[in-house]
Amino acid sequence: PLYLPTLLQPSQEALLHRSIQTWGISTLRQQIHARHVAKVAFYADESAVEVLDSNGLQRRVAIFPGVAPILLQDLRSEKLPFFVVPERPQAPSVVLAFARGFVSMLVVILVINALGMLDQFV
C-alpha cells in the first residue's frame, strides 16, 4: 500500500539534484588550472558540465556552446579526464504504450484461438 507520507516526501533524484553545487565558468577554469578538478562530464547538448572536484564533491556549471572548445583546451592542457554524457532517450508516450499492449493482447487471443483453446477461456 502507498502511504500519504511517502507521497509528500521529495524524490531522491530531486534531493540529489538540489545538493549539487554550482560554479561559474571562470571559477571552473581557475579550478582546472589549479588542479582541483578530478573529472568533467559534458552534456551532449553543451548546456552544462558536471564536475567532480578533488574533494569528491559534484558541481554543475551552466555553459553555452561557445565555451566548450575553451574548456576542452583547458582540460587537455592539464591532462584531466572528461567525457560526453549521451542524451537520455525519450520516454514512449502513454498512447504508444497502450497501443503496444493492446496489439500484444490481440496476438495472444489469436494464438489461443488458433490452438482451439478459446472456448476454454470464455
Side-chain angles (χ1 to χ4, degrees):
L2 203 52
Y3 296 104
L4 186 58
T6 59
L7 291 175
L8 299 177
Q9 293 178 349
S11 70
Q12 293 292 359
E13 186 173 327
L15 291 173
L16 179 64
H17 185 68
R18 281 192 301 235
S19 71
I20 298 174
Q21 299 176 5
T22 58
W23 275 353
I25 296 170
S26 59
T27 304
L28 173 59
R29 293 190 71 206
Q30 290 171 355
Q31 296 298 318
I32 288 171
H33 292 295
R35 307 287 294 166
H36 293 277
V37 172
K39 295 178 186 177
V40 176
F42 286 83
Y43 284 92
D45 62 357
E46 295 182 2
S47 63
V49 294
E50 296 286 337
V51 179
L52 184 64
D53 69 12
S54 57
N55 296 325
L57 297 175
Q58 184 176 351
R59 302 175 190 273
R60 180 184 303 265
V61 180
I63 64 169
F64 51 92
V67 173
I70 296 168
L71 291 176
L72 288 172
Q73 184 179 10
D74 290 345
L75 292 167
R76 286 183 178 133
S77 70
E78 298 296 333
K79 296 180 177 48
L80 291 172
F82 62 90
F83 64 97
V84 177
V85 178
E87 291 187 28
R88 294 175 121 180
Q90 293 288 335
S93 70
V94 174
V95 174
L96 182 60
F98 177 77
R100 285 182 180 163
F102 186 74
V103 168
S104 298
M105 180 188 67
L106 287 177
V107 168
V108 169
I109 290 173
L110 288 173
V111 169
I112 290 172
N113 188 33
L115 295 174
M117 298 187 308
L118 190 58
D119 294 335
Q120 296 174 0
F121 289 105
V122 178

